[in-house]
Amino acid sequence: MAVAAENQSQPPQNDLPYVLILKPPTAFSIFGDHFFHSPKFQFLKPFESPLPLPQFLLTHAQSVQAILTSASGSVTADTIRLLPRLGLVVTTSQGINHIDLSECRRRGIAVAGAGTIFSTDCADSAVGLLLDVLRKVSAANRYVKQGLWSTQGNYPLGYKLGGKQVGIVGLGSIGTEVAKRLEAFRCSISYNSRSKKPSVPYTFYPNVVELAVNCDALIICCALTDETHHLIGKEVLSALGKDGVINNIARGPIIDEKELVQCLIKREIRGAGLDVFEHEPDVPVELLALDNVVMSPHNAVCTTESLEELRKTVVGRSLLLK
Amino acid sequence: MAVAAENQSQPPQNDLPYVLILKPPTAFSIFGDHFFHSPKFQFLKPFESPLPLPQFLLTHAQSVQAILTSASGSVTADTIRLLPRLGLVVTTSQGINHIDLSECRRRGIAVAGAGTIFSTDCADSAVGLLLDVLRKVSAANRYVKQGLWSTQGNYPLGYKLGGKQVGIVGLGSIGTEVAKRLEAFRCSISYNSRSKKPSVPYTFYPNVVELAVNCDALIICCALTDETHHLIGKEVLSALGKDGVINNIARGPIIDEKELVQCLIKREIRGAGLDVFEHEPDVPVELLALDNVVMSPHNAVCTTESLEELRKTVVGRSLLLK
């Protein structure tokens, strides 16, 4: 059985370039293996092999010309060093911090993310989560579905989105899309970013604590880097204050999750909308029972429609293999 | 005890104008009786009296100069006829179809609704519900909170809002606010209304079936009238089709609820976001278990902030009593 499985994972005997799939992207579990299928390249799938990954990589070291991965599949220097013919790493995520970029640079390996395909979906999710937390959509839905409306009366009112001061941390492609949407809701937008952007009309705060002091809601849209790791800690959350709401659709470790959990339990902030977590897919158990916390399973980035767009992009990029 | 209670409901002996509260508005249950308090008028509260309503009204017939009511407290011709000094009916709702307008007209009684105080909250809710249904926010939140993400993997992807054709039924103050918001999400807007509005750039369909045929989502924003009662029935829902979504933040009876329930159960449409129902606070039991249905307890209209604005308006209007 093990031998048969290993045989299946052997590359077919033809001359098509080999693309190693380090970790199956979400699309595979939804649409099956053929989602990224192309007659111009073929996949190597270590996750279908009984061999441990290092051994699998050694076996196929001379074949792999590209890697396809997703946000949760790290591409380490160790992996890269095993693959002398590697020329391209494609990730289905917008973020690329799970790829060892210095090693790629050193070796001249091209790295391609999903670019801005997901920016609009991500921005939609950010607004959806913000509306949900403020207006208690999920919590009220649960209340109605439990049959409590007719027996226990009205559900507590939520809070207005219009007129709120919203601070965006990271005004890149996603942050900008979030800002555009929130302007239509008559929110006032301000932002924190590495530098002031001369072309935008929003208030710039060089310091995220100062941004939080001046905002009713913070939306985290920046990339995860050494500088942004635990950027949002106790000090920022305290500055946001008890009527403040925080949303994270970027990466979990940008927020110090332990501090956030404590603030939410003690109601030191009003609520949170979280698509990402420090130890996904595990989420802090303390959050499970909190009505002022709305969570999604790291899917802000993606819809059925954007995934189809991604498919075209990945197939297109992989076609560039020599 | 009954006597004591009746004594409590006797109007205080002073010359302030009397405002009859037919049914306590939501604000009363949230903020207490003093929410609409003013030194310029006083309230009569039949719901605190042991007397049946008609008898209570007869007792105080000569005192009542105004009625304060809410969406669920009908002001019938019978009630109005019992009150010869009635000069003003104020409702905390935007809709005024629960007030007998012909009787008010005949008697020259002024009728005041909440105007556009709630339009933006209502529009925010409409967008929130649409995002929730398409992107599965509440359902995914439930999935994460049940601890299923780490044990059962990714939650099924939702659908993109951007690029969707959204049809607005009733382009009044709420419908217009909904349209403005959805433009920021890059939706294409069309509408059905009693007549074409020359000043708006959206496509007009004189027939709601035709609108549904050409839309991915319908948002019901019109007033409930004899003409709009069950306006949305089997024909419109079939025209919307299996990828279509419907949202109702207007009034329950505009949709034929039995037909809607059947369409949702049979997945003849993709999903629904419902703030209002035909027999509130009862909701069809068939909807309770459906993940593609998001419900809120008729609170789209209202937030803590808008209620405060309402308070100022009601107090202000009641001050006009002679």
Side-chain angles (χ1 to χ4, degrees):
Chain A
M1 184 63 190
V3 174
E6 169 57 1
N7 284 343
Q8 284 170 14
S9 76
Q10 287 292 342
Q13 298 307 306
N14 61 37
D15 294 333
L16 295 178
Y18 293 113
V19 177
L20 173 74
I21 302 181
L22 259 195
K23 184 158 181 178
T26 308
F28 275 49
S29 58
I30 298 171
F31 298 105
D33 289 9
H34 293 287
F35 184 68
F36 290 118
H37 177 75
S38 159
K40 300 292 177 64
F41 55 80
Q42 55 198 322
F43 288 131
L44 281 172
K45 296 182 229 172
F47 48 90
E48 287 182 358
S49 163
L51 293 178
L53 182 63
Q55 206 177 329
F56 181 95
L57 293 180
L58 280 173
T59 308
H60 301 289
Q62 295 302 322
S63 313
V64 174
Q65 294 182 52
I67 289 176
L68 173 60
T69 190
S70 63
S72 55
S74 295
V75 182
T76 63
D78 285 347
T79 299
I80 294 169
R81 283 181 200 129
L82 287 174
L83 306 168
R85 293 186 66 203
L86 184 67
L88 172 69
V89 178
V90 183
T91 174
T92 56
S93 56
Q94 172 148 354
I96 53 174
N97 65 297
H98 54 298
I99 300 166
D100 192 309
L101 297 176
S102 10
E103 186 62 17
C104 288
R105 227 178 347 253
R106 203 183 63 73
R107 280 269 305 276
I109 296 166
V111 175
T116 58
I117 289 181
F118 299 125
S119 302
T120 56
D121 282 344
C122 228
D124 291 357
S125 275
V127 177
L129 285 172
L130 183 58
L131 272 168
D132 195 314
V133 174
L134 286 174
R135 299 296 301 272
K136 307 182 179 181
V137 180
S138 291
N141 181 41
R142 196 161 48 239
Y143 184 80
V144 173
K145 289 196 166 180
Q146 288 170 343
L148 299 177
W149 187 16
S150 54
T151 57
Q152 299 195 18
N154 292 315
Y155 191 75
L157 284 181
Y159 302 94
K160 202 182 194 75
L161 176 55
K164 289 279 181 296
Q165 305 279 338
V166 181
I168 296 177
V169 180
L171 200 68
S173 64
I174 296 172
T176 305
E177 291 290 337
V178 172
K180 279 184 202 163
R181 283 155 180 71
L182 290 177
E183 280 191 278
F185 289 85
R186 302 181 194 173
C187 293
S188 299
I189 311 293
S190 46
Y191 70 104
N192 165 255
S193 206
R194 271 166 299 192
S195 58
K196 188 173 180 345
K197 298 182 188 292
S199 60
V200 302
Y202 317 128
T203 309
F204 171 66
Y205 288 98
N207 181 298
V208 75
V209 174
E210 208 185 325
L211 177 72
V213 165
N214 289 286
C215 282
D216 305 304
L218 279 188
I219 302 186
I220 314 302
C221 301
C222 59
L224 174 63
T225 63
D226 288 347
E227 288 73 41
T228 63
H229 183 268
H230 281 200
L231 174 68
I232 311 296
K234 178 72 184 165
E235 197 186 358
V236 175
L237 295 168
S238 298
L240 187 58
K242 70 178 181 42
D243 295 333
V245 166
I246 192 159
N247 278 28
N248 191 2
I249 45 101
R251 285 294 165 93
I254 298 169
I255 298 182
D256 183 335
E257 199 164 80
K258 278 189 185 156
E259 290 293 354
L260 176 64
V261 167
Q262 286 309 308
C263 282
L264 286 164
I265 290 172
K266 296 176 185 162
R267 307 272 162 166
E268 289 170 3
I269 64 171
R270 180 173 278 164
L274 304 169
D275 183 59
V276 289
F277 305 86
E278 282 210 67
H279 309 288
E280 297 170 9
D282 292 323
V283 302
V285 288
E286 297 92 333
L287 301 184
L288 303 187
L290 294 182
D291 260 4
N292 58 338
V293 178
V294 183
M295 299 186 280
S296 50
H298 199 150
N299 67 5
V301 76
C302 208
T303 58
T304 311
E305 292 87 345
S306 65
L307 211 59
E308 171 56 22
E309 209 178 321
L310 173 71
R311 190 190 66 74
K312 291 178 187 157
T313 303
V314 167
V315 171
R317 288 205 171 121
S318 301
L319 287 179
L320 299 177
L321 291 173
K322 299 275 158 39
Chain B
M1 184 64 192
V3 173
E6 168 57 0
N7 284 344
Q8 282 170 15
S9 75
Q10 287 291 342
Q13 299 306 304
N14 61 38
D15 293 332
L16 295 178
Y18 294 113
V19 178
L20 173 74
I21 301 182
L22 260 194
K23 185 160 180 177
T26 309
F28 276 51
S29 57
I30 299 171
F31 298 104
D33 290 10
H34 292 289
F35 184 68
F36 290 118
H37 178 76
S38 160
K40 299 294 177 65
F41 54 81
Q42 56 197 322
F43 288 130
L44 279 172
K45 296 181 228 173
F47 48 88
E48 288 182 355
S49 163
L51 291 179
L53 181 63
Q55 206 178 328
F56 181 95
L57 293 181
L58 280 173
T59 307
H60 301 289
Q62 295 303 322
S63 314
V64 175
Q65 294 182 53
I67 289 176
L68 172 61
T69 189
S70 63
S72 55
S74 295
V75 182
T76 64
D78 284 349
T79 298
I80 294 169
R81 283 182 201 129
L82 287 175
L83 306 168
R85 292 186 66 202
L86 184 67
L88 172 69
V89 177
V90 183
T91 174
T92 55
S93 56
Q94 172 148 353
I96 54 174
N97 65 296
H98 54 298
I99 300 167
D100 191 310
L101 296 176
S102 9
E103 186 63 18
C104 286
R105 227 176 346 252
R106 203 184 62 72
R107 279 268 307 275
I109 295 166
V111 174
T116 58
I117 288 180
F118 298 125
S119 301
T120 56
D121 282 345
C122 228
D124 291 357
S125 276
V127 176
L129 285 172
L130 183 58
L131 273 168
D132 195 313
V133 174
L134 286 174
R135 299 296 302 273
K136 307 182 179 181
V137 180
S138 290
N141 181 41
R142 195 160 50 238
Y143 183 81
V144 174
K145 288 196 167 180
Q146 287 170 345
L148 299 177
W149 186 17
S150 54
T151 57
Q152 301 195 15
N154 291 316
Y155 191 76
L157 284 181
Y159 302 94
K160 201 182 194 75
L161 176 55
K164 289 278 182 295
Q165 304 279 338
V166 181
I168 296 176
V169 180
L171 200 68
S173 64
I174 296 171
T176 305
E177 291 290 338
V178 172
K180 278 184 202 162
R181 284 155 180 70
L182 290 177
E183 281 192 278
F185 289 85
R186 303 180 193 173
C187 294
S188 299
I189 310 293
S190 46
Y191 70 104
N192 165 256
S193 208
R194 271 166 299 193
S195 57
K196 188 173 181 345
K197 297 181 187 294
S199 60
V200 302
Y202 317 129
T203 309
F204 171 66
Y205 289 98
N207 180 298
V208 74
V209 175
E210 208 184 326
L211 177 73
V213 165
N214 290 286
C215 282
D216 304 304
L218 279 187
I219 301 185
I220 314 302
C221 301
C222 60
L224 174 62
T225 64
D226 289 346
E227 288 73 40
T228 64
H229 183 267
H230 282 199
L231 175 68
I232 311 296
K234 178 72 183 163
E235 197 185 359
V236 175
L237 295 168
S238 298
L240 187 58
K242 70 179 180 42
D243 295 334
V245 166
I246 193 159
N247 277 28
N248 190 2
I249 45 101
R251 285 294 166 92
I254 297 169
I255 298 182
D256 182 335
E257 198 164 81
K258 279 190 184 154
E259 290 292 354
L260 176 64
V261 167
Q262 286 308 308
C263 283
L264 286 164
I265 291 173
K266 296 175 185 164
R267 307 271 162 168
E268 290 171 1
I269 64 172
R270 180 172 278 164
L274 304 169
D275 183 59
V276 289
F277 305 86
E278 281 210 67
H279 309 288
E280 297 168 9
D282 293 323
V283 302
V285 287
E286 298 93 332
L287 301 185
L288 302 187
L290 294 182
D291 260 4
N292 58 337
V293 178
V294 182
M295 299 187 279
S296 50
H298 200 151
N299 67 3
V301 77
C302 209
T303 57
T304 311
E305 291 88 344
S306 65
L307 212 59
E308 171 57 22
E309 209 177 321
L310 173 71
R311 190 191 67 74
K312 291 179 188 157
T313 303
V314 167
V315 171
R317 288 206 171 119
S318 302
L319 288 179
L320 299 176
L321 291 171
K322 300 275 160 38

